[in-house]
Amino acid sequence: MKTERIGIYGGTFSPPHIGHVRAAEVFLSEMSLDKLLVIPTFEPPHKDFHNEASTAERLEMCRLAFSDIPNCEISDLEILRGGKSYTYLTLEALMGEGRELYMLVGTDMMLTLDEWKNPERIFAAASICYVRRETDPESKRRLDEKIRLYESRFGARIYAISNKVIEISSSELRAAIANGKKLGDYLSGSVKEYIADRGLYR
């Protein structure tokens, strides 16, 4: 039986922007994934999240933003579960015979994964794929040190994704929308239209 390679891409996605979309495309391609699940969080455990858009609105914006990516599905798994969106619970819910899970994270997450709830269960459930944006030697040293720690302590399986992503901050986008600034091409046309129609982030 062929093993199905499933990618997991979580986040608040408030709003989902072209940086998210580009990261998803690179992740799918470089890891030869059969399917990518984009999973908006209900309540992120690791940061303050002021719910400027409802869970239903964030789900719909994700459907619009990622609609042109083949083999990409939007999952409401964490939203339906409610409460804090702990990663280990999501991964374990998606595990199954004939499946390999790959989770995409940024550098900031890579440096703190061992501080997340039940990190040993995260590393047991999925391979970790990260996008490294920093180029300075000190950041590289810290990252390499953490990777060695994860591999020795948890038996982690870790892969680097080449840096072809676009660096954009969702919080800066929300501030720009609130201040009535033009967003250029940071959001897809359908997402911009949805935000305007719903009056989000004003």
Side-chain angles (χ1 to χ4, degrees):
M1 182 176 68
K2 181 183 180 294
T3 299
E4 187 179 25
R5 297 166 65 90
I6 299 178
I8 312 298
Y9 187 16
T12 52
F13 300 112
S14 186
H17 51 62
I18 60 167
H20 293 132
V21 174
R22 181 58 181 157
E25 291 171 336
V26 173
F27 186 31
L28 257 166
S29 173
E30 294 203 5
M31 296 309 298
S32 300
L33 301 175
D34 296 302
K35 180 192 298 183
L36 173 61
L37 298 178
V38 173
I39 308 179
T41 58
F42 181 76
E43 182 183 342
H46 307 293
K47 63 180 177 180
D48 292 331
F49 178 56
H50 304 293
N51 201 14
E52 300 92 347
S54 70
T55 53
E57 288 166 338
R58 288 189 291 120
L59 265 176
E60 183 57 28
M61 283 191 287
C62 283
R63 293 188 180 107
L64 294 170
F66 295 95
S67 61
D68 291 333
I69 301 180
N71 304 318
C72 178
E73 299 178 8
I74 311 304
S75 170
D76 59 2
L77 173 65
E78 292 188 346
I79 287 173
L80 290 179
R81 190 170 67 227
K84 290 191 179 296
S85 298
Y86 289 117
T87 298
Y88 80 95
L89 291 174
T90 299
L91 295 176
E92 289 179 349
L94 294 169
M95 291 173 70
E97 187 177 353
R99 282 185 162 190
E100 290 179 356
L101 303 184
Y102 298 83
M103 183 174 75
L104 181 64
V105 300
T107 306
D108 52 344
M109 294 182 184
M110 274 297 293
L111 293 172
T112 60
L113 272 173
D114 54 334
E115 301 170 16
W116 292 21
K117 192 173 183 65
N118 294 329
E120 71 284 353
R121 292 167 69 172
I122 293 174
F123 289 113
S127 298
I128 309 300
C129 305
Y130 72 96
V131 178
R132 183 173 177 269
R133 301 181 181 92
E134 293 79 5
T135 56
D136 62 285
E138 176 57 22
S139 293
K140 183 179 186 306
R141 183 197 65 77
R142 291 174 59 218
L143 186 60
D144 290 345
E145 189 176 88
K146 276 289 188 177
I147 290 172
R148 288 193 295 270
L149 171 68
Y150 299 156
E151 290 173 339
S152 63
R153 181 181 296 177
F154 302 108
R157 305 170 301 282
I158 297 175
Y159 301 90
I161 303 295
S162 63
N163 189 6
K164 299 176 183 175
V165 299
I166 304 167
E167 188 70 23
I168 304 170
S169 163
S170 290
S171 59
E172 291 176 2
L173 282 179
R174 293 194 297 270
I177 294 168
N179 292 323
K181 295 181 180 178
K182 293 190 178 299
L183 298 176
D185 296 324
Y186 293 131
L187 301 173
S188 70
S190 58
V191 172
K192 279 194 283 191
E193 185 176 332
Y194 185 84
I195 288 171
D197 289 346
R198 307 283 294 196
L200 299 179
Y201 309 119
R202 298 293 180 183

